[in-house]
Amino acid sequence: MSVSFATTTFAPVVLGFFGLGTGYLIYGPQELFRFPERNTSVDRASGVWGIWLPGFCQFITGVYLFVALAWFETLKEPALYTAALAFSAYGIHWFAMGWNRYQGNDTRPNGFMSIAFTIISVLGMVVFFSADSWPLGVLFAGLTGVYVSEFFASFRIGARTRPVGASNEKAPAVINPGERALGFFHVLTGLWLMYLTFATTLNISLDYSLPSG
């Protein structure tokens, strides 16, 4: 007996948008404005958020998309294959990122990780701009900025130490411009993800026609 399912327009991409955007808006201000100042307690708290919001929300979204595309065929749009890849990969990597932050582990391996995720981000730009889905193309452009910045931040490229006896004793001991750039792209991309969550939900729920994912 053959069982078939109806095609649906209710792809749960908003869950992935919201989860990643929340994670970025937690991590970004800390990197950009150094608030709250990092310590063991703050790292443990942000690590938990990293695992569950950008991690779990994106992973669930990616798995759903792959299953709907490959097994049940309830989703037909080919570009969603790229979305499934991205949500799954970004979600799994946030499990690792959040856990490492929670444990206070070395951040330098993040620099090597960022090379692979820069490639996925550029791939997303190519696919979604080519598919005339510019809001998602812009999202992946922001993600590309995040992972290029992550490379410089993780290896502290261009970082400098605050001179001994400097007038501003509250300034950080190490000034890492890559981390500030990472925070900037986290905040900017996080806000865009909140817009995509808002617009996509209104389009599906109330038949709006806002530019969205």
Side-chain angles (χ1 to χ4, degrees):
M1 182 177 66
S2 177
V3 178
S4 61
F5 297 90
T7 302
T8 181
T9 58
F10 300 118
V13 292
V14 290
L15 180 63
F17 293 156
F18 181 75
L20 181 58
T22 302
Y24 278 6
L25 293 177
I26 291 171
Y27 279 62
Q30 188 178 68
E31 295 153 345
L32 186 58
F33 304 115
R34 304 190 184 281
F35 180 82
E37 186 176 351
R38 286 187 62 176
N39 55 42
T40 301
S41 178
V42 170
D43 280 359
R44 288 170 71 89
S46 56
V48 169
W49 281 113
I51 292 169
W52 286 105
L53 265 294
F56 188 72
C57 288
Q58 287 193 101
F59 177 71
I60 288 296
T61 302
V63 169
Y64 180 100
L65 291 176
F66 270 132
V67 169
L69 286 164
W71 289 359
F72 298 127
E73 298 183 358
T74 53
L75 295 172
K76 302 290 188 180
E77 177 57 50
L80 285 176
Y81 185 82
T82 302
L85 167 64
F87 279 127
S88 300
Y90 291 142
I92 293 167
H93 115 289
W94 268 102
F95 288 149
M97 294 273 286
W99 180 248
N100 284 335
R101 176 70 69 93
Y102 183 87
Q103 293 285 84
N105 293 334
D106 195 329
T107 62
R108 286 175 294 178
N110 294 351
F112 294 115
M113 170 277 296
S114 68
I115 298 171
F117 280 85
T118 298
I119 292 170
I120 290 182
S121 301
V122 171
L123 178 62
M125 274 199 300
V126 172
V127 169
F128 287 107
F129 278 126
S130 299
D132 293 325
S133 182
W134 68 264
L136 291 181
V138 169
L139 170 60
F140 279 91
L143 292 169
T144 301
V146 165
Y147 289 105
V148 170
S149 301
E150 181 78 67
F151 181 85
F152 286 88
S154 298
F155 292 125
R156 297 188 174 187
I157 297 172
R160 63 188 186 279
T161 303
R162 174 170 55 85
V164 177
S167 58
N168 186 3
E169 294 298 331
K170 293 184 178 180
V174 176
I175 300 170
N176 185 352
E179 184 180 35
R180 300 294 295 276
L182 179 60
F184 171 78
F185 281 109
H186 272 158
V187 170
L188 197 66
T189 308
L191 292 173
W192 185 247
L193 282 159
M194 290 298 108
Y195 164 76
L196 290 176
T197 302
F198 194 85
T200 304
T201 301
L202 288 177
N203 289 350
I204 293 174
S205 300
L206 298 177
D207 200 28
Y208 281 34
S209 56
L210 298 169
S212 71

